[in-house]
Amino acid sequence: MAKVLVVTSGKGGVGKTTTTAALGATLAQMGEKVVVVDFDVGLRNLDLILGAERRVVFDFINVVQGIANLSQALIRDKRLENLWLLPASQTRDKDALTDEGVGKIIGELREKFDWIICDSPAGIERGAMLAMRYADEAIVVTNPEVSSVRDSDRIIGMLDSKTVRAEKGEQVAKHLLITRFDPARAARGEMLSIEDVLDILATPLMGIIPESQDVLRASNVGSPVTLNDAASAPARAYIDAARRLKGETIPMTVPEPRKGLMDRLLGRRAA
Amino acid sequence: MMGLRLFGGGRAARAAPIAQVASAPVARERLQILLAHERGLRGQHDLLELLRAEILAVVSRHVSFDPEKLQIKMERGHLVSMLEIDIEVPNTSEGRSAAVA
């Protein structure tokens, strides 16, 4: 049965789009049929992170307005045959997305895909509301930093009250994904620890993505971090998170970066 | 490289005051206090909206006024809470007659 997953956070710049691309690509590699949907009308970026920016012809709003049909707007990934993108519109008309229109398209996507991953815009306005509206599950992306934790708390409140599931008296399954985590700084008491964040937000942990230059490197070349370098620390963390999403039980770890040539040489000398 | 990093880290730790190093507990405490407050407000949000709509309807039946001049505030205290309703109405008799008519 199809699952609608929203990737949300409240705060901007915490890694929603990176997460959407990485989880989408990993689930597709596992054989699931996945569509990633960009809800950020006017500021679309998922196309860029996936390296599909030059292939966008029609978008979400064109489909809502009946200018194009769904199959015309869906873009198939060049690397993964199971991964598709439904891009957002760059037009500035925020009101073009309606609850009805979104509901209809999500319904159609449910018939074609195993996973519908909705990349939410930042904020708590219309776009963010519509991205979570039809979700069965939610990933709340949080940085171990006060403003991000506060905004996540707000979003968790909205997931529990403003979604179709909540209105029917059902639950949206919520998962916390802590990104840009620096274990060394947390150990020195300079950064909120995983336990602090879990304690405050009281939401089950789905994964811990370490702070890493690999994320920027992947976005520079338009490739999900899991495809660009599957052995990198953030990629391994995302792959674990994707497996947990599928219901596997994986021990929670913070993957460490592989040691560089210099470190290895020095390490060997020291040993 | 590893040796350099260790050296740099040691130097930084020695130079930085203790309070600056362990800032995470401060962050944790601030968040806990703030979120306890904000979670309390969340349920009230709808209550205030409801009050605003009904007060507007009742008062407008007798006096015409600018809806933006209706201020409602709820302050939660330890022993008592205060509901503050502030309505600014025009001073002329026009407002009244217009509303009645």
Side-chain angles (χ1 to χ4, degrees):
Chain A
M1 220 182 71
K3 265 189 188 163
V4 179
L5 174 74
V6 61
V7 178
T8 185
S9 70
K11 191 177 186 316
V14 296
K16 286 181 295 295
T17 303
T18 299
T19 298
T20 303
L23 292 179
T26 306
L27 287 169
Q29 275 180 308
M30 290 171 172
E32 306 277 311
K33 204 172 172 201
V34 182
V35 61
V36 289
V37 185
D38 194 343
F39 273 81
D40 205 344
V41 175
L43 290 170
R44 73 169 175 226
N45 274 322
L46 190 52
D47 55 334
L48 204 51
I49 297 300
L50 287 171
E53 70 275 12
R54 292 169 65 183
R55 299 168 62 208
V56 176
V57 182
F58 295 112
D59 58 54
F60 201 153
I61 285 176
N62 293 148
V63 181
V64 169
Q65 294 177 336
I67 294 164
N69 60 41
L70 195 52
S71 56
Q72 289 175 300
L74 286 169
I75 302 168
R76 190 176 211 155
D77 189 83
K78 275 191 278 192
R79 298 147 296 205
L80 300 173
E81 60 168 13
N82 269 347
L83 180 63
W84 301 72
L85 163 70
L86 181 56
S89 169
Q90 275 296 66
T91 64
R92 280 193 200 161
D93 192 1
K94 285 187 293 181
D95 296 334
L97 277 189
T98 59
D99 191 344
E100 249 188 323
V102 171
K104 186 167 166 284
I105 290 178
I106 296 280
E108 285 179 42
L109 292 172
R110 275 184 193 274
E111 288 168 21
K112 293 176 197 270
F113 293 94
D114 300 316
W115 291 87
I116 298 130
I117 308 183
C118 304
D119 185 19
S120 174
I124 53 169
E125 305 299 316
R126 189 188 187 87
M129 298 276 289
L130 287 175
M132 70 167 65
R133 183 83 186 134
Y134 295 90
D136 302 309
E137 300 194 25
I139 289 190
V140 179
V141 182
T142 306
N143 291 169
E145 180 268 325
V146 288
S147 59
S148 175
V149 174
R150 177 200 210 172
D151 292 358
S152 291
D153 190 72
R154 188 86 189 270
I155 283 290
I156 289 167
M158 287 171 62
L159 287 165
D160 288 336
S161 61
K162 310 277 186 196
T163 53
V164 169
R165 274 190 170 239
E167 285 171 5
K168 284 195 291 187
E170 296 168 9
Q171 283 278 321
V172 172
K174 301 179 296 278
H175 315 282
L176 196 65
L177 188 78
I178 299 178
T179 55
R180 309 197 71 163
F181 184 68
D182 185 335
R185 297 198 75 188
R188 290 197 297 266
E190 297 171 14
M191 178 182 267
L192 285 168
S193 68
I194 300 296
E195 293 73 27
D196 286 340
V197 178
L198 291 180
D199 203 28
I200 292 165
L201 294 178
T203 299
L205 185 61
M206 160 70 42
I208 306 162
I209 314 298
E211 168 80 52
S212 167
Q213 297 181 356
D214 292 300
V215 173
L216 179 60
R217 206 170 291 140
S219 77
N220 284 342
V221 298
S223 171
V225 67
T226 49
L227 279 187
N228 196 50
D229 183 356
S232 67
R236 282 180 287 146
Y238 274 120
I239 291 165
D240 280 356
R243 291 171 65 186
R244 290 187 195 102
L245 255 185
K246 282 192 69 185
E248 289 182 48
T249 308
I250 315 268
M252 191 65 69
T253 57
V254 188
E256 284 181 29
R258 290 155 301 172
K259 289 192 169 163
L261 183 62
M262 282 299 285
D263 286 326
R264 260 186 287 163
L265 284 174
L266 285 164
R268 241 179 257 161
R269 214 175 284 167
Chain B
M1 200 168 168
M2 216 152 79
L4 271 178
R5 207 184 296 150
L6 279 174
F7 179 64
R11 219 171 29 170
R14 236 178 298 139
I18 291 163
Q20 210 171 32
V21 173
S23 54
V26 181
R28 181 193 162 93
E29 202 187 319
R30 287 177 60 217
L31 271 170
Q32 280 171 333
I33 293 167
L34 175 71
L35 293 184
H37 174 70
E38 287 187 344
R39 284 169 188 164
L41 284 179
R42 223 174 271 153
Q44 268 180 36
H45 239 69
D46 294 332
L47 172 67
L48 286 189
E49 275 311 302
L50 192 68
L51 281 173
R52 160 181 284 277
E54 297 201 359
I55 289 167
L56 259 179
V58 169
V59 180
S60 303
R61 225 176 284 151
H62 307 284
V63 187
S64 79
F65 67 102
D66 180 355
E68 283 186 19
K69 298 287 163 69
L70 167 63
Q71 303 283 343
I72 304 183
K73 267 190 263 177
M74 174 85 91
E75 276 177 35
R76 288 274 186 217
H78 280 298
L79 293 173
V80 285
S81 294
M82 173 102 88
L83 174 66
E84 192 182 320
I85 300 168
D86 186 354
I87 309 174
E88 190 185 315
V89 290
N91 223 352
T92 55
S93 56
E94 269 171 53
R96 178 174 299 213
S97 53
V100 172

